[in-house]
Amino acid sequence: MAKDKKVEQITDMEVDFAQWYTDICRKAELVEYASVKGFTILRPYGYAIWENMQRIMDGEFKKTGHVNVAMPVLIPESLLKKEGELVQGFAPEVAWVTHGGSEELEERLAFRPTSETMFCDHWSRVLHSYRELPMLYNQWCSVIRWEKTTRPFLRSREFWWQEGHTIHETAEEAKAETEQQLNCYADFFEQVLAIPVVRGRKTDKEKFAGAEATYTVECLMKDHKALQGATSHYFGDKFSRAYDVTFTGRDNTLQYPFQTSWGSTTRMIGAVIMAHGDNNGLVLPPAVAPIQVIVLPVAQHKPGVLEAANGLKERLIAAGLRVALDDSDNSMGWKCAQYEMKGVPLRVEIGPRDMENGQCVLVRRNDGEKTVVALADLESAVAEQLRLVHDGMFEKAKKNLDEHIFAASSIEEAKALQERNGGFIKTMWCGDLQCELDMKEKAGMSSRCIPFRQEKLGEVCACCGKPARHMIYWGVAY
Amino acid sequence: MAKDKKVEQITDMEVDFAQWYTDICRKAELVEYASVKGFTILRPYGYAIWENMQRIMDGEFKKTGHVNVAMPVLIPESLLKKEGELVQGFAPEVAWVTHGGSEELEERLAFRPTSETMFCDHWSRVLHSYRELPMLYNQWCSVIRWEKTTRPFLRSREFWWQEGHTIHETAEEAKAETEQQLNCYADFFEQVLAIPVVRGRKTDKEKFAGAEATYTVECLMKDHKALQGATSHYFGDKFSRAYDVTFTGRDNTLQYPFQTSWGSTTRMIGAVIMAHGDNNGLVLPPAVAPIQVIVLPVAQHKPGVLEAANGLKERLIAAGLRVALDDSDNSMGWKCAQYEMKGVPLRVEIGPRDMENGQCVLVRRNDGEKTVVALADLESAVAEQLRLVHDGMFEKAKKNLDEHIFAASSIEEAKALQERNGGFIKTMWCGDLQCELDMKEKAGMSSRCIPFRQEKLGEVCACCGKPARHMIYWGVAY
């Protein structure tokens, strides 16, 4: 039986947002399901987006003195259990290795769900003096968390990420690191992914298992649901004490260092899809697009057209851009649809008439805007259009965010606003866990963060009426 | 109790080569043992070497059209078992995941020892037409093989590698790919790592489980033992048939693609240590050295010295080099020893007298050669010296290789030569497994490869006296 590839339509996002998302993941060839339940394969086009994200982030991490390492993927159960809160948080999701070759292991080994324990164990053996601090480490790897329900990029039993782990001489330095890395993520979301974020602190209920404080960047998707973008944690010296990480201080006494960790994952690809995509497919920010410019020859059988198209491609590659040319036999309509599905930020068209006029046509993916440019100005015009693509995407996403933040003064009002509009619902909050649980139970929303930029919406908690301590954002989250 | 870091001597390689190797791994801060038996941690300096290797290799792979993907790390046992030879080869070394969270899995999952099975499973679902071929995939990841005895970089239960996997329309294309990638490895060893290699084919006994043919680059260490550098495999359509990977061919019939895989690992760092290191520590090829040039100020308390040293550093960074400056309070002697231990290819010294004379001193790590250069010529002089470091390292390693290849015409002679000199022993060979087993049993040597460059040393097999089919290299290998 012969198999033939078919081009199919994707579901409209207004009809079924979840199906629209899945359709893009598959049709843009980002991921494919594996034969292991709950696991996904990052296909070349999806992985190329991740590679671009990695390259840019890794460069930023290194600018601030971070270095990469590789820790073992398996963690002995006893080591994982040394810090009580962490293991309680992760134990239900751990995959266990129990056999090596034909022998059963004396102690079972956890596939890392996160690596604080391994870093601490390592530091307990190599750290000696305050002169060696800070240690600013990061690793790129995959982790496993045995989730019940999974969705490509958003929730997968295995996912790819970076996990930064640092230790510092003082609490102040560690806190500054936590904030610096949160801002690094926020800048990455806004300046690279064109996704505006809300920066804030997680509540005690929502913070990382074992952390003293967790900071987060929260963003809003096109269906007005919230997505946690990346997080940064401050641990104090809790893990240092649990894992006996010590150093000789300036005063010659033995001290415990202060610790942070911070992570971002392939879930960011899911954020890009849902923050920018449309009913024609993916819309990629130029900075991470595997192909930034697709060159399409019009009437390519006419003399000189292919050569001209190739010339444009070569010029743009020489200008440092990621460029492809499609000179296949497929129709112009098919090609346009194909590269729209793939989210290529800019299309360059050139045909016989353009050649006569010494021009080509640039078409932006995000808003369909066409610009005719003189061939002599190609490089600068393309750079300008790519900048406009990024800016246009950011502005549109910012408008979506700004127009979907609503103030409420009671749980009922918060619930009604969420049901009507989605988005972030901001209220005053007393800080009690019970109010957070009430909001979840009665309005179906979790706390997203206590934004750094506080507003005074009133005097009392929207849930219990007691004096308020914070303004907080609530939402329905991925 | 205060802990203080001590600088210790390393064992001389002539006294105890294995201990010398371990000492370098630890003292140059490349790796550290983990609390999981048989697992190692790649520390920042060791990982930085790997990152440089990755960047260069990845660039080469992409030049020839390869793309990166990420496959799941866990493989269902039933999937792993579909191809009989592969699973027989790897089953004794597989780590098994049997529990996810609190539940026991219905089918146990293998931590990938290699990923042919996952790639085939994926291709069986996404490949449709000859127009999609070839698929030229690669992934960077870690694998686990449950080895009994382990040594840093050389044999570790977890190691980091790249595994290329490709499928092609015809056997000829797949064979060409296998050779192309072997040559890519050979060029990397010689032009990047400064390690000369012997290229050849593995015997049936030594080839990869399930492969039709395995090609290898073999190199020689300073103790005259052999090390397999990297391998490239041709599978024919064996796996395609086992995993039902098919495509519609040009003639509209259903066909099986032809497959290759090829891999190189963090073991290459072990090769660099043992091919180039000396009794003062590591000697790194400039192309992969995390620090290519260390700038040391002489009499740094004297006015202007630190500024001058900083100026040199900035100029060399601007010239695209990886440069560090050590202005710590440690003595000049300690610093020189430290950067020799770390294998930094070139040392730049500048002090008050140099400044007066408008010069600085360059010292090569590999042979200790000093050159005084005018400050005006810094960039070109440093580039030239780094080139000479690479060339000098390669020539020395090439001399070691060339002087340690010996011809033998009997097992006894081969054994005597190996015992006296080490190195590669070349003989004629009939091609029979029994002769290979005899050589192993009587002379303690495994076959390393059947070199592409054949020589006719005689008419008959050195082991059995029957007509010879190949000239083959034997050795004691890591």
Side-chain angles (χ1 to χ4, degrees):
Chain A
M1 190 196 71
K3 296 181 284 188
D4 261 320
K5 201 174 178 179
K6 284 189 192 115
V7 181
E8 295 159 74
Q9 282 294 104
I10 60 171
T11 307
D12 277 2
M13 63 165 74
E14 295 78 11
V15 173
D16 183 343
F17 195 82
Q19 189 60 47
W20 166 84
Y21 177 79
T22 309
D23 283 354
I24 288 190
C25 286
R26 303 289 296 275
K27 304 283 167 57
E29 301 186 336
L30 301 177
V31 292
E32 189 59 46
Y33 296 108
S35 56
V36 206
K37 190 166 170 286
F39 283 69
T40 47
I41 290 160
L42 293 195
R43 299 187 68 183
Y45 198 67
Y47 197 82
I49 298 172
W50 181 235
E51 274 184 309
N52 289 330
M53 289 179 172
Q54 286 184 299
R55 195 191 55 252
I56 295 167
M57 293 193 104
D58 197 68
E60 292 302 316
F61 298 161
K62 282 178 176 152
K63 275 185 201 163
T64 42
H66 299 89
V67 290
N68 288 328
V69 298
M71 287 285 160
V73 60
L74 301 183
I75 307 172
E77 185 167 19
S78 56
L79 186 67
L80 193 66
K81 283 186 167 168
K82 274 194 183 176
E83 202 293 311
E85 285 184 41
L86 183 94
V87 73
Q88 272 177 33
F90 286 101
E93 304 180 341
V94 167
W96 295 101
V97 170
T98 56
H99 290 74
S102 48
E103 53 180 291
E104 186 168 354
L105 304 180
E106 284 177 27
E107 178 181 18
R108 60 184 190 161
L109 303 170
F111 194 115
R112 69 176 152 236
T114 181
S115 302
E116 280 74 9
T117 52
M118 288 307 272
F119 280 86
C120 284
D121 186 50
H122 174 56
W123 285 325
S124 75
R125 269 171 283 135
V126 300
L127 177 64
H128 303 86
S129 158
Y130 73 90
R131 280 183 293 264
E132 295 156 344
L133 292 174
M135 288 188 171
L136 307 174
Y137 289 4
N138 178 63
Q139 75 174 353
W140 294 93
C141 61
S142 76
V143 293
I144 286 187
R145 297 181 191 170
W146 214 257
E147 307 273 3
K148 298 279 180 204
T149 53
T150 60
R151 293 186 65 191
F153 298 121
L154 302 176
R155 208 165 284 278
S156 185
R157 285 185 172 172
E158 180 183 23
F159 58 86
W160 291 267
W161 78 345
Q162 61 68 217
E163 47 178 327
H165 296 270
T166 71
I167 43 174
H168 306 260
E169 193 180 350
T170 66
E172 290 63 40
E173 283 176 47
K175 284 175 186 170
E177 165 83 10
T178 316
E179 279 172 38
Q180 170 190 285
Q181 292 312 108
L182 189 84
N183 287 326
C184 178
Y185 289 142
D187 291 346
F188 182 79
F189 268 80
E190 300 195 333
Q191 293 163 24
V192 175
L193 304 184
I195 301 175
V197 296
V198 177
R199 305 169 200 214
R201 187 163 60 80
K202 286 284 184 190
T203 62
D204 284 351
K205 176 177 181 293
E206 297 289 331
K207 73 185 185 190
F208 185 83
E212 202 163 287
T214 289
Y215 302 101
T216 180
V217 291
E218 298 282 324
C219 39
L220 201 66
M221 304 294 97
K222 280 201 166 172
D223 62 349
H224 312 128
K225 281 167 81 172
L227 184 137
Q228 175 180 303
T231 48
S232 182
H233 319 289
Y234 171 67
F235 291 101
D237 59 3
K238 189 195 262 180
F239 278 73
S240 294
R241 289 177 184 272
Y243 288 85
D244 201 28
V245 183
T246 59
F247 65 96
T248 306
R250 290 169 198 271
D251 60 359
N252 222 29
T253 66
L254 210 56
Q255 302 176 15
Y256 295 101
F258 296 83
Q259 188 177 349
T260 85
S261 78
W262 28 276
S264 63
T265 80
T266 36
R267 145 178 274 236
M268 292 191 289
I269 300 174
V272 164
I273 299 170
M274 293 194 292
H276 299 304
D278 63 23
N279 288 335
N280 294 325
L282 201 55
V283 180
L284 288 175
V288 298
I291 302 170
Q292 296 173 306
V293 182
I294 180 73
V295 180
L296 297 184
V298 180
Q300 65 187 40
H301 57 282
K302 294 273 177 71
V305 173
L306 265 183
E307 290 76 0
N310 246 314
L312 299 191
K313 177 186 145 190
E314 292 305 327
R315 280 173 64 185
L316 293 171
I317 287 174
L321 295 170
R322 297 185 289 273
V323 188
L325 165 75
D326 187 344
D327 59 1
S328 69
D329 291 337
N330 295 305
S331 72
M332 196 66 183
W334 185 91
K335 288 182 190 177
C336 289
Q338 171 71 1
Y339 297 101
E340 285 191 347
M341 173 66 75
K342 292 247 177 182
V344 176
L346 200 65
R347 193 165 83 220
V348 177
E349 299 178 356
I350 186 162
R353 220 168 339 161
D354 299 310
M355 289 163 64
E356 273 172 35
N357 298 327
Q359 66 184 38
C360 63
V361 182
L362 310 185
V363 188
R364 299 204 292 257
R365 169 65 182 92
N366 62 314
D367 57 9
E369 195 70 23
K370 284 190 188 195
T371 316
V372 178
V373 301
L375 291 179
D377 302 332
L378 180 73
E379 289 85 351
S380 60
V382 164
E384 169 72 359
Q385 288 301 314
L386 287 174
R387 198 180 60 70
L388 291 173
V389 169
H390 174 93
D391 291 350
M393 290 171 71
F394 181 81
E395 275 158 36
K396 199 168 174 183
K398 184 80 168 65
K399 190 163 181 286
N400 183 48
L401 172 63
D402 290 344
E403 291 177 353
H404 289 84
I405 301 175
F406 306 95
S409 55
S410 70
I411 293 185
E412 295 67 35
E413 192 187 355
K415 184 179 186 225
L417 282 165
Q418 176 62 241
E419 282 173 359
R420 193 169 339 121
N421 310 297
F424 291 116
I425 313 299
K426 55 185 179 185
T427 76
M428 297 309 288
W429 178 51
C430 64
D432 285 355
L433 172 62
Q434 189 53 51
C435 290
E436 221 178 328
L437 295 172
D438 284 352
M439 183 65 86
K440 181 77 191 168
E441 194 193 322
K442 295 177 188 166
M445 289 188 285
S446 56
S447 72
R448 303 315 310 150
C449 70
I450 301 163
F452 293 149
R453 281 198 202 156
Q454 285 284 298
E455 298 166 65
K456 188 155 189 174
L457 305 173
E459 300 292 337
V460 298
C461 173
C463 307
C464 67
K466 282 188 280 192
R469 286 175 52 202
H470 314 284
M471 188 267 285
I472 188 167
Y473 275 25
W474 310 91
V476 177
Y478 277 99
Chain B
M1 190 196 72
K3 295 181 284 187
D4 262 320
K5 202 173 174 180
K6 285 189 190 114
V7 180
E8 294 159 76
Q9 282 294 104
I10 60 171
T11 307
D12 277 1
M13 63 165 74
E14 295 78 9
V15 172
D16 183 343
F17 195 83
Q19 189 57 48
W20 165 85
Y21 176 79
T22 309
D23 284 353
I24 288 190
C25 285
R26 303 287 297 276
K27 305 281 166 60
E29 301 186 337
L30 301 177
V31 293
E32 189 59 45
Y33 295 107
S35 57
V36 206
K37 188 166 172 285
F39 283 69
T40 46
I41 289 160
L42 294 195
R43 301 188 68 183
Y45 199 67
Y47 197 82
I49 298 172
W50 181 233
E51 274 184 308
N52 288 331
M53 289 179 171
Q54 286 185 299
R55 193 189 59 250
I56 295 167
M57 292 192 106
D58 198 67
E60 293 301 316
F61 297 161
K62 282 177 175 151
K63 274 186 203 162
T64 42
H66 300 89
V67 289
N68 287 329
V69 298
M71 288 284 160
V73 59
L74 301 182
I75 307 171
E77 184 167 18
S78 57
L79 186 67
L80 193 65
K81 283 187 166 167
K82 273 195 183 175
E83 203 291 312
E85 284 183 41
L86 183 94
V87 73
Q88 274 180 32
F90 285 101
E93 304 179 343
V94 168
W96 294 101
V97 171
T98 57
H99 291 73
S102 49
E103 52 179 290
E104 185 167 355
L105 304 180
E106 284 177 26
E107 178 180 19
R108 60 182 189 163
L109 304 170
F111 194 115
R112 69 176 152 236
T114 181
S115 301
E116 279 75 10
T117 53
M118 289 306 273
F119 279 85
C120 284
D121 186 48
H122 174 57
W123 285 325
S124 75
R125 270 172 283 135
V126 300
L127 176 64
H128 302 88
S129 156
Y130 73 90
R131 280 183 295 262
E132 295 157 346
L133 292 174
M135 287 187 170
L136 307 174
Y137 288 3
N138 179 63
Q139 76 175 352
W140 294 93
C141 60
S142 76
V143 293
I144 286 187
R145 297 182 188 169
W146 214 259
E147 307 272 3
K148 297 280 179 202
T149 54
T150 60
R151 294 187 65 191
F153 299 120
L154 302 176
R155 207 164 286 279
S156 186
R157 285 187 173 171
E158 179 184 25
F159 58 86
W160 292 266
W161 78 343
Q162 60 68 218
E163 48 177 328
H165 295 270
T166 70
I167 42 174
H168 305 259
E169 194 180 349
T170 66
E172 289 63 39
E173 284 176 45
K175 284 176 186 168
E177 166 83 10
T178 316
E179 278 172 38
Q180 171 190 286
Q181 292 312 105
L182 188 84
N183 287 326
C184 178
Y185 289 141
D187 290 347
F188 182 79
F189 268 81
E190 300 195 334
Q191 293 163 23
V192 175
L193 304 184
I195 301 175
V197 296
V198 177
R199 305 170 199 213
R201 186 162 61 79
K202 287 283 184 189
T203 62
D204 283 351
K205 175 177 182 295
E206 297 290 331
K207 74 186 182 188
F208 186 82
E212 202 163 287
T214 288
Y215 302 102
T216 181
V217 291
E218 298 282 325
C219 38
L220 201 65
M221 303 293 96
K222 278 201 167 171
D223 61 350
H224 311 128
K225 281 167 80 170
L227 183 137
Q228 175 180 303
T231 48
S232 181
H233 318 290
Y234 171 66
F235 292 101
D237 59 2
K238 190 196 261 181
F239 278 72
S240 295
R241 289 177 184 272
Y243 288 85
D244 201 27
V245 183
T246 58
F247 66 95
T248 306
R250 289 169 200 271
D251 60 359
N252 224 28
T253 65
L254 210 56
Q255 301 177 15
Y256 295 101
F258 295 83
Q259 188 178 348
T260 85
S261 79
W262 28 276
S264 62
T265 80
T266 36
R267 145 179 273 238
M268 291 189 292
I269 300 174
V272 164
I273 299 170
M274 292 194 291
H276 299 304
D278 62 25
N279 288 336
N280 294 325
L282 201 55
V283 179
L284 287 175
V288 299
I291 302 169
Q292 295 173 307
V293 181
I294 179 73
V295 180
L296 298 184
V298 180
Q300 64 188 41
H301 57 283
K302 294 275 176 71
V305 172
L306 265 184
E307 291 76 0
N310 246 315
L312 299 191
K313 177 186 146 190
E314 293 305 327
R315 281 173 63 184
L316 292 172
I317 288 174
L321 294 170
R322 299 185 288 273
V323 189
L325 164 75
D326 187 343
D327 58 2
S328 68
D329 289 339
N330 295 305
S331 71
M332 195 66 184
W334 186 91
K335 288 183 190 179
C336 289
Q338 173 71 359
Y339 297 101
E340 285 191 347
M341 173 66 76
K342 292 249 180 183
V344 176
L346 199 65
R347 192 166 83 219
V348 177
E349 300 179 355
I350 187 162
R353 219 167 340 163
D354 299 310
M355 289 163 63
E356 273 173 37
N357 298 327
Q359 65 184 38
C360 64
V361 182
L362 311 185
V363 188
R364 298 202 295 256
R365 169 66 182 92
N366 62 314
D367 57 10
E369 195 72 22
K370 285 190 187 195
T371 316
V372 177
V373 300
L375 292 178
D377 302 334
L378 181 72
E379 290 85 351
S380 61
V382 164
E384 168 73 0
Q385 288 300 316
L386 287 174
R387 199 181 59 71
L388 291 174
V389 169
H390 175 94
D391 290 351
M393 290 171 71
F394 182 81
E395 275 158 35
K396 197 168 176 184
K398 184 79 168 67
K399 189 163 181 285
N400 183 46
L401 172 63
D402 289 345
E403 290 177 353
H404 289 83
I405 301 174
F406 305 96
S409 54
S410 70
I411 292 184
E412 295 67 35
E413 192 188 356
K415 185 180 185 223
L417 282 164
Q418 177 61 243
E419 283 173 358
R420 194 169 337 123
N421 311 297
F424 290 118
I425 313 298
K426 57 185 178 183
T427 75
M428 298 309 289
W429 178 49
C430 63
D432 285 357
L433 172 62
Q434 189 52 53
C435 290
E436 223 178 327
L437 296 171
D438 285 352
M439 184 64 87
K440 182 76 192 168
E441 194 194 319
K442 294 177 188 163
M445 288 188 284
S446 57
S447 72
R448 303 315 310 151
C449 71
I450 302 163
F452 293 151
R453 281 200 203 153
Q454 285 283 300
E455 298 167 63
K456 187 153 188 174
L457 305 173
E459 300 292 335
V460 297
C461 174
C463 305
C464 67
K466 282 190 281 192
R469 285 174 54 203
H470 313 286
M471 187 266 284
I472 188 168
Y473 275 26
W474 310 91
V476 176
Y478 277 98

